[in-house]
Amino acid sequence: MHSTPLEQRASSVEVSNPFCQRREERESLRMASVPVKERVKVSQNWRLGRCREGVLLKWRCSQMPWMQLEGDSLYISQANFILAYQFRPDGASLNRRPLGVFAGHDEDVCHFVLANSHIISAGGDGKIGVHKIHSTFTVKYSAHEQEVNCVDCKGGIVVSGSRDRTAKVWSLSSGRLGQCLHTIQTEDRVWSIAISPLLSSFVTGTACCGHFSPLRIWDLNSGQLMTHLGSDFPPGAGVLDLMYESPSTLLSCGYDTYVRYWDLRASVRKCVMEWEEPHDSTLYCLQTDGNHLLATGSSYYGVVRLWDRRQRACLHAFPLTSTPLSSPVYCLRFTTKHLYAALSYNLHILDFQNP
């Protein structure tokens, strides 16, 4: 059987060390240089919830920031810009002067990803931006009729989801930049999206306002629906964040206050594990270390929760705002030593190396 051009491109990209693998390798190398005693101490601090809280950045106007980490740099959206900051060697502070400022959207940046030395951004202006990190090259193109809520990029392919109830597949190659390969009528607002590591399919998380599952998997080559996940979502159980851990496993969270772990080899109708936010708060974001640690960001009081995926109950909770300044955790990321959480007015850090 002959492979399609998309499958051929996928196989070549997987050999070329994808972004997530590079990040894991960097973390492994970084930890390998740390003495064993220090590694054990940091691991215990995570397990016991011992950390020092701090604020890395502040801004005057309320924002809905998104964030990514790459090496010793942090990228964060503020209004219609994306700013790049360099960490100081301790990883617990930033150089105040940004390394770079990436502009181009007429309204707020809703979401962005890093891929192959590019930033792919989704804007409230209905446009997708392509920014080269180490140059001034920036291109933006009209993608949707309403705001683009989410975007992902792997293997030269971009997928986007919008409030206009469509998901689209785009080419990132220089000769076809901005060319739409597929338009998918999701019949529901798309809040989150992710491409499978195999580059054969992608999953959309929608608002769950129709008579179908908010989690659906689509063929990347044809744009056809392959399957949906789950069967008992209540109305309004929209999926705000999701991520693949492997080609057959993924995590999702959202308005119905649950994190769900799906294994496509076991069942597409029922998740294999779920964790409930104990205060019935919407879950805006999640992150995992690919092993046992799971972190979530809640809608009230800037609460970050840490979970051991082998247990049902939450391990630790860190409220990062007080009542007058209650804010969701819009995005969180962590390394082996630090956790970073983006809220309405601040970028917070939990330092597990020096509690």
Side-chain angles (χ1 to χ4, degrees):
M1 182 181 294
H2 297 289
S3 59
T4 66
L6 190 61
E7 289 168 337
Q8 292 169 356
R9 187 160 62 246
S11 62
S12 66
V13 170
E14 284 209 293
V15 172
S16 65
N17 207 7
F19 166 71
C20 59
Q21 291 180 350
R22 293 201 305 270
R23 182 177 163 191
E24 289 173 0
E25 289 170 1
R26 281 194 300 270
E27 281 299 307
S28 297
L29 290 172
R30 190 175 293 133
M31 284 306 288
S33 64
V34 177
V36 173
K37 186 176 180 179
E38 177 71 11
R39 276 185 276 170
V40 171
K41 184 188 81 170
V42 172
S43 178
Q44 288 178 338
N45 289 341
W46 281 93
R47 181 172 54 85
L48 299 173
R50 290 193 303 231
C51 63
R52 176 175 55 85
E53 297 181 23
V55 174
L56 294 181
L57 296 171
K58 297 181 180 180
W59 37 89
R60 293 182 179 178
C61 299
S62 178
Q63 308 279 348
M64 296 177 65
W66 194 254
M67 172 176 52
Q68 300 288 358
L69 303 180
E70 167 77 326
D72 62 353
S73 299
L74 178 144
Y75 298 79
I76 188 165
S77 63
Q78 293 186 23
N80 59 337
F81 297 94
I82 298 171
L83 293 92
Y85 292 91
Q86 186 173 35
F87 284 107
R88 295 191 175 115
D90 61 2
S93 56
L94 294 169
N95 291 326
R96 292 296 175 181
R97 186 180 181 87
L99 282 173
V101 179
F102 303 90
H105 287 284
D106 299 320
E107 296 186 29
D108 287 1
V109 174
C110 300
H111 193 274
F112 68 91
V113 294
L114 308 179
N116 300 324
S117 299
H118 289 80
I119 301 173
I120 316 299
S121 60
D125 53 5
K127 296 176 181 177
I128 291 176
V130 179
H131 320 265
K132 200 161 187 178
I133 291 177
H134 302 296
S135 80
T136 57
F137 174 83
T138 295
V139 171
K140 65 175 182 177
Y141 53 88
S142 295
H144 291 268
E145 295 179 1
Q146 298 184 51
E147 57 261 41
V148 189
N149 292 320
C150 51
V151 68
D152 196 13
C153 178
K154 287 185 176 67
I157 292 293
V158 175
V159 294
S160 60
S162 170
R163 190 182 182 88
D164 68 5
R165 301 172 183 246
T166 66
K168 295 188 179 184
V169 182
W170 310 84
S171 173
L172 191 60
S173 62
S174 56
R176 305 174 72 187
L177 187 63
Q179 180 179 341
C180 183
L181 305 179
H182 301 293
T183 297
I184 296 160
Q185 302 295 331
T186 61
E187 301 179 20
D188 205 359
R189 291 164 291 171
V190 184
W191 295 132
S192 52
I193 201 163
I195 299 175
S196 163
L198 291 181
L199 307 187
S200 58
S201 61
F202 67 98
V203 59
T204 54
T206 58
C208 199
C209 293
H211 301 289
F212 38 76
S213 166
L215 284 166
R216 285 173 285 173
I217 297 178
W218 311 85
D219 185 275
L220 197 55
N221 194 48
S222 67
Q224 297 299 307
L225 178 65
M226 296 174 64
T227 189
H228 65 268
L229 304 182
S231 57
D232 56 354
F233 289 95
V239 176
L240 293 177
D241 199 9
L242 50 82
M243 62 178 293
Y244 276 96
E245 278 200 310
S246 75
S248 55
T249 58
L250 64 152
L251 289 144
S252 65
C253 70
Y255 282 113
D256 71 344
T257 76
Y258 280 90
V259 177
R260 290 183 172 88
Y261 178 61
W262 306 88
D263 189 331
L264 307 183
R265 298 164 299 185
S267 172
V268 295
R269 295 294 171 258
K270 187 173 178 58
C271 65
V272 294
M273 189 71 174
E274 61 184 19
W275 300 267
E276 183 179 11
E277 213 287 336
H279 291 167
D280 202 34
S281 297
T282 295
L283 294 173
Y284 271 66
C285 55
L286 60 85
Q287 275 286 287
T288 172
D289 65 352
N291 194 12
H292 300 306
L293 181 64
L294 172 68
T296 58
S298 301
S299 58
Y300 294 115
Y301 310 118
V303 173
V304 171
R305 294 189 185 276
L306 299 183
W307 311 75
D308 184 328
R309 292 166 55 176
R310 296 164 295 187
Q311 305 173 18
R312 293 277 185 181
C314 169
L315 276 181
H316 305 289
F318 304 94
L320 300 179
T321 64
S322 57
T323 304
L325 295 174
S326 179
S327 164
V329 179
Y330 289 110
C331 186
L332 59 82
R333 297 287 182 262
F334 60 78
T335 65
T336 51
K337 300 176 182 177
H338 306 99
L339 185 147
Y340 310 96
L343 279 67
S344 298
Y345 289 94
N346 303 302
L347 174 64
H348 292 257
I349 180 174
L350 299 179
D351 184 352
F352 290 89
Q353 183 180 23
N354 299 297

